[in-house]
Amino acid sequence: MIFAIVGSQKFPFERLIREMDRLVEEGVIKDEVVAQIGVSAYEPKHMKWYRFMDKENFDQHIENCSLLVTHAGEGSIMTGLLKKRKVIAVPRYENLGEHVSDHQLEIARALEKQNCIINVEDITHLEHIIAHLDEYKLDEYESGRETILKTICDFIG
């Protein structure tokens, strides 16, 4: 199952929802797709969707998905990475009215450099990436938390 999420921003992210719906309609995506569409006016016709989800439902979909296609919000990306899911991040853009700044682009680029996500800056590339998903060999995300905790414990101890 593919889980597509746009987060809970007050801005729509129809670009991602429309493209995912098209890919399902055209058979590029053969897996079941569940989407969290937020405030988008566009309602998908070819995939199951929710505007928003409670934490339990959201967590269940993260657990059950093999691929997370998400806006490039840090929380959404990190949730997928910490659950060891393959993550495709599509940044929201300020100039398209999708967010207040382009900070999602910066987040996606930084994590792409670590080779732990696939960053899709141009939505027209999503089809090719999904069609060739098996060719992408990503590294497991490594949080610096354990190193920091060990350093603190060593210092105290």
Side-chain angles (χ1 to χ4, degrees), residues 132-148:
H132 297 90
L133 197 58
D134 292 340
E135 297 172 20
Y136 289 86
K137 304 301 178 205
L138 300 174
D139 297 329
E140 188 174 314
Y141 175 75
E142 292 185 28
S143 168
R145 183 172 187 239
E146 290 76 24
T147 304
I148 292 169

Side-chain angles (χ1 to χ4, degrees), residues 5 9 68 70-82 87 89 99 103-105 107-108 111 117 141:
I5 58 178
Q9 292 293 321
L68 178 63
T70 180
H71 68 122
E74 183 179 8
S76 297
I77 292 172
M78 295 312 295
T79 298
L81 291 177
L82 293 174
V87 175
H99 218 305
H103 69 279
Q104 287 195 356
L105 181 60
I107 292 167
L111 290 168
I117 68 163
Y141 175 75

Side-chain angles (χ1 to χ4, degrees), residues 4-6 12-23 35-38 40 42-45 47 49-50 69 123 126:
I5 58 178
V6 301
F13 194 26
E14 292 189 10
R15 225 171 16 105
L16 178 56
I17 299 305
R18 284 181 183 276
E19 184 65 4
M20 290 296 294
D21 204 35
R22 182 187 73 80
L23 295 175
Q36 177 268 314
I37 68 165
S40 174
Y42 177 78
E43 296 181 350
K45 297 164 189 63
M47 56 188 179
W49 59 272
Y50 302 84
V69 180
I123 198 75
L126 186 60

Side-chain angles (χ1 to χ4, degrees), residues 1-56:
M1 184 261 293
I2 298 172
F3 189 29
I5 58 178
V6 301
S8 58
Q9 292 293 321
K10 63 182 179 180
F11 304 103
F13 194 26
E14 292 189 10
R15 225 171 16 105
L16 178 56
I17 299 305
R18 284 181 183 276
E19 184 65 4
M20 290 296 294
D21 204 35
R22 182 187 73 80
L23 295 175
V24 173
E25 177 185 24
E26 294 182 4
V28 174
I29 296 176
K30 296 181 182 9
D31 295 6
E32 174 190 13
V33 178
V34 177
Q36 177 268 314
I37 68 165
V39 298
S40 174
Y42 177 78
E43 296 181 350
K45 297 164 189 63
H46 307 285
M47 56 188 179
K48 183 176 180 181
W49 59 272
Y50 302 84
R51 285 216 179 273
F52 299 99
M53 304 170 101
D54 61 32
K55 183 174 177 5
E56 183 179 324

